[in-house]
Amino acid sequence: QESRSVSVEASGEAVEYPSTAMERNTSSVVLGIEGGASPLKVVVPVFTTKRIGQSTPVSGILNVITVSLSATLDLSGGASSAITLTNLTGAVLGANVALEAVPGGKGGEGLFCGSGGVSGTGAWNNESSSLVLSVCSSENLRAGVEYVFAFTITNPSEDQESRSVS
Protein backbone atom coordinates (compact mmCIF):
# COMPACT_ATOMS: atom_id res chain seq x y z
CA GLN A 1 0.00 0.00 0.00
CA GLU A 2 1.10 3.54 -0.61
CA SER A 3 1.97 5.89 2.25
CA ARG A 4 -0.76 8.39 3.02
CA SER A 5 -0.39 11.90 4.33
CA VAL A 6 -0.10 12.02 8.13
CA SER A 7 -1.25 15.10 10.05
CA VAL A 8 -0.42 16.51 13.46
CA GLU A 9 -2.58 18.69 15.68
CA ALA A 10 -2.70 19.66 19.35
CA SER A 11 -5.17 21.19 21.74
CA GLY A 12 -5.28 22.23 25.34
CA GLU A 13 -6.82 24.79 27.68
CA ALA A 14 -4.63 27.68 26.51
CA VAL A 15 -3.59 26.73 22.99
CA GLU A 16 -4.90 25.18 19.81
CA TYR A 17 -2.68 23.91 16.98
CA PRO A 18 -4.59 23.35 13.71
CA SER A 19 -4.20 20.09 11.82
CA THR A 20 -1.16 20.29 9.56
CA ALA A 21 0.29 17.73 7.17
CA MET A 22 3.61 16.28 8.36
CA GLU A 23 6.60 16.02 6.05
CA ARG A 24 7.25 12.49 4.84
CA ASN A 25 10.44 11.04 3.46
CA THR A 26 9.16 9.95 0.04
CA SER A 27 12.50 9.79 -1.76
CA SER A 28 14.61 7.47 0.41
CA VAL A 29 15.11 3.91 -0.80
CA VAL A 30 14.65 1.22 1.86
CA LEU A 31 15.18 -2.46 0.96
CA GLY A 32 15.11 -1.48 -2.71
CA ILE A 33 11.76 0.31 -2.47
CA GLU A 34 11.62 3.95 -3.63
CA GLY A 35 9.87 5.92 -0.88
CA GLY A 36 10.28 2.96 1.48
CA ALA A 37 10.85 5.33 4.44
CA SER A 38 7.33 6.78 4.12
CA PRO A 39 5.14 5.68 7.04
CA LEU A 40 2.98 2.64 6.30
CA LYS A 41 4.15 2.20 2.72
CA VAL A 42 3.93 -1.58 2.59
CA VAL A 43 5.27 -4.07 0.04
CA VAL A 44 4.56 -7.79 0.32
CA PRO A 45 7.82 -9.78 0.05
CA VAL A 46 7.39 -12.25 -2.83
CA PHE A 47 9.42 -13.61 -5.71
CA THR A 48 7.95 -12.06 -8.86
CA THR A 49 10.13 -14.36 -10.99
CA LYS A 50 10.71 -17.92 -9.81
CA ARG A 51 11.64 -20.29 -12.63
CA ILE A 52 13.63 -23.52 -12.65
CA GLY A 53 14.51 -25.80 -15.55
CA GLN A 54 16.89 -28.58 -16.54
CA SER A 55 19.11 -29.53 -19.44
CA THR A 56 18.14 -33.22 -19.63
CA PRO A 57 15.63 -35.71 -18.18
CA VAL A 58 17.91 -38.75 -18.78
CA SER A 59 18.59 -40.91 -15.70
CA GLY A 60 22.01 -41.21 -14.11
CA ILE A 61 23.80 -38.41 -16.01
CA LEU A 62 24.86 -34.84 -15.33
CA ASN A 63 22.02 -32.33 -15.53
CA VAL A 64 22.33 -28.54 -15.45
CA ILE A 65 19.59 -26.93 -13.36
CA THR A 66 18.94 -23.25 -14.20
CA VAL A 67 17.23 -20.94 -11.71
CA SER A 68 15.78 -17.43 -12.31
CA LEU A 69 14.73 -15.28 -9.35
CA SER A 70 13.48 -11.72 -8.86
CA ALA A 71 12.20 -10.39 -5.52
CA THR A 72 10.03 -7.43 -4.51
CA LEU A 73 12.45 -6.44 -1.70
CA ASP A 74 16.23 -6.41 -1.36
CA LEU A 75 17.72 -9.48 0.32
CA SER A 76 20.90 -8.52 2.15
CA GLY A 77 23.76 -10.73 3.21
CA GLY A 78 24.33 -8.30 6.06
CA ALA A 79 20.90 -9.32 7.36
CA SER A 80 21.76 -13.06 7.04
CA SER A 81 19.28 -13.54 4.16
CA ALA A 82 19.03 -16.98 2.60
CA ILE A 83 16.94 -18.60 -0.13
CA THR A 84 16.09 -22.30 0.08
CA LEU A 85 15.11 -24.42 -2.91
CA THR A 86 13.15 -27.42 -1.61
CA ASN A 87 11.85 -30.68 -3.12
CA LEU A 88 14.95 -31.41 -5.21
CA THR A 89 14.25 -35.07 -4.44
CA GLY A 90 16.59 -37.59 -6.03
CA ALA A 91 19.29 -35.06 -6.95
CA VAL A 92 22.81 -36.28 -6.27
CA LEU A 93 25.04 -33.48 -4.98
CA GLY A 94 28.00 -32.88 -2.68
CA ALA A 95 27.76 -30.75 0.48
CA ASN A 96 28.96 -27.58 -1.29
CA VAL A 97 27.34 -26.92 -4.64
CA ALA A 98 29.17 -24.76 -7.21
CA LEU A 99 26.92 -22.16 -8.79
CA GLU A 100 27.58 -21.38 -12.43
CA ALA A 101 27.27 -18.19 -14.45
CA VAL A 102 24.54 -17.95 -17.06
CA PRO A 103 24.67 -15.42 -19.93
CA GLY A 104 22.58 -12.41 -18.92
CA GLY A 105 22.33 -13.73 -15.35
CA LYS A 106 23.53 -10.44 -13.79
CA GLY A 107 26.11 -12.24 -11.62
CA GLY A 108 23.51 -14.28 -9.75
CA GLU A 109 26.01 -17.06 -9.08
CA GLY A 110 28.30 -14.71 -7.12
CA LEU A 111 25.62 -13.48 -4.71
CA PHE A 112 25.60 -16.63 -2.63
CA CYS A 113 28.11 -18.15 -0.19
CA GLY A 114 28.17 -21.72 1.04
CA SER A 115 29.80 -23.06 4.17
CA GLY A 116 32.95 -21.20 5.14
CA GLY A 117 31.76 -18.12 3.23
CA VAL A 118 32.94 -19.43 -0.15
CA SER A 119 31.42 -17.20 -2.85
CA GLY A 120 29.57 -18.85 -5.72
CA THR A 121 28.39 -21.87 -3.73
CA GLY A 122 25.27 -23.17 -2.03
CA ALA A 123 24.85 -25.72 0.75
CA TRP A 124 23.14 -29.02 -0.11
CA ASN A 125 21.03 -30.70 2.56
CA ASN A 126 20.62 -34.32 1.49
CA GLU A 127 18.19 -35.14 4.31
CA SER A 128 15.65 -32.50 3.21
CA SER A 129 16.59 -32.53 -0.52
CA SER A 130 17.09 -28.78 -0.41
CA LEU A 131 19.69 -26.28 -1.57
CA VAL A 132 20.34 -23.36 0.79
CA LEU A 133 21.61 -20.21 -0.92
CA SER A 134 22.91 -17.80 1.75
CA VAL A 135 23.44 -14.27 0.46
CA CYS A 136 27.15 -13.42 0.99
CA SER A 137 27.68 -10.86 3.77
CA SER A 138 28.92 -8.20 1.33
CA GLU A 139 26.23 -8.84 -1.31
CA ASN A 140 22.62 -7.79 -1.92
CA LEU A 141 19.99 -9.37 -4.11
CA ARG A 142 18.34 -6.18 -5.42
CA ALA A 143 14.58 -5.80 -5.69
CA GLY A 144 13.22 -6.00 -9.23
CA VAL A 145 16.41 -7.44 -10.76
CA GLU A 146 16.14 -10.89 -12.35
CA TYR A 147 19.14 -13.01 -11.38
CA VAL A 148 19.90 -16.25 -13.18
CA PHE A 149 22.40 -18.95 -12.21
CA ALA A 150 22.85 -22.68 -12.68
CA PHE A 151 24.21 -25.70 -10.85
CA THR A 152 24.94 -29.24 -11.98
CA ILE A 153 23.48 -32.35 -10.38
CA THR A 154 23.57 -36.02 -11.22
CA ASN A 155 20.09 -37.27 -12.05
CA PRO A 156 18.77 -40.24 -10.06
CA SER A 157 19.17 -43.63 -11.72
CA GLU A 158 15.44 -44.43 -11.68
CA ASP A 159 12.37 -42.80 -13.22
CA GLN A 160 10.60 -40.13 -11.18
CA GLU A 161 8.12 -37.35 -11.82
CA SER A 162 9.13 -33.72 -11.39
CA ARG A 163 8.02 -32.34 -8.03
CA SER A 164 7.01 -28.79 -7.28
CA VAL A 165 10.16 -26.91 -6.25
CA SER A 166 9.56 -24.10 -3.82
Side-chain angles (χ1 to χ4, degrees):
Q1 83 181 15
E2 289 301 316
S3 174
R4 296 192 177 165
S5 179
V6 177
S7 298
V8 60
E9 62 184 71
S11 62
E13 289 182 27
V15 69
E16 186 93 17
Y17 287 90
S19 180
T20 306
M22 297 182 79
E23 293 179 18
R24 295 177 294 141
N25 183 344
T26 59
S27 60
S28 290
V29 177
V30 176
L31 295 176
I33 303 302
E34 185 76 35
S38 294
L40 294 173
K41 176 166 181 139
V42 177
V43 176
V44 176
V46 295
F47 287 103
T48 53
T49 301
K50 48 191 183 290
R51 286 189 302 273
I52 189 165
Q54 67 178 1
S55 63
T56 183
V58 178
S59 65
I61 66 170
L62 294 179
N63 184 3
V64 178
I65 304 295
T66 303
V67 176
S68 301
L69 295 171
S70 178
T72 55
L73 296 173
D74 285 357
L75 291 170
S76 169
S80 301
S81 297
I83 296 169
T84 304
L85 304 179
T86 60
N87 281 338
L88 295 167
T89 306
V92 179
L93 290 160
N96 283 317
V97 178
L99 304 177
E100 305 159 19
V102 172
K106 297 190 178 68
E109 74 287 349
L111 293 173
F112 305 105
C113 288
S115 61
V118 177
S119 179
T121 62
W124 175 246
N125 183 320
N126 198 48
E127 195 172 296
S128 64
S129 298
S130 60
L131 180 62
V132 178
L133 303 165
S134 298
V135 180
C136 297
S137 61
S138 63
E139 296 292 344
N140 290 300
L141 190 137
R142 299 277 178 217
V145 176
E146 184 174 330
Y147 295 99
V148 185
F149 58 90
F151 57 95
T152 301
I153 67 168
T154 300
N155 277 342
S157 57
E158 298 182 13
D159 288 354
Q160 73 176 24
E161 289 299 314
S162 174
R163 298 192 179 176
S164 177
V165 177
S166 56

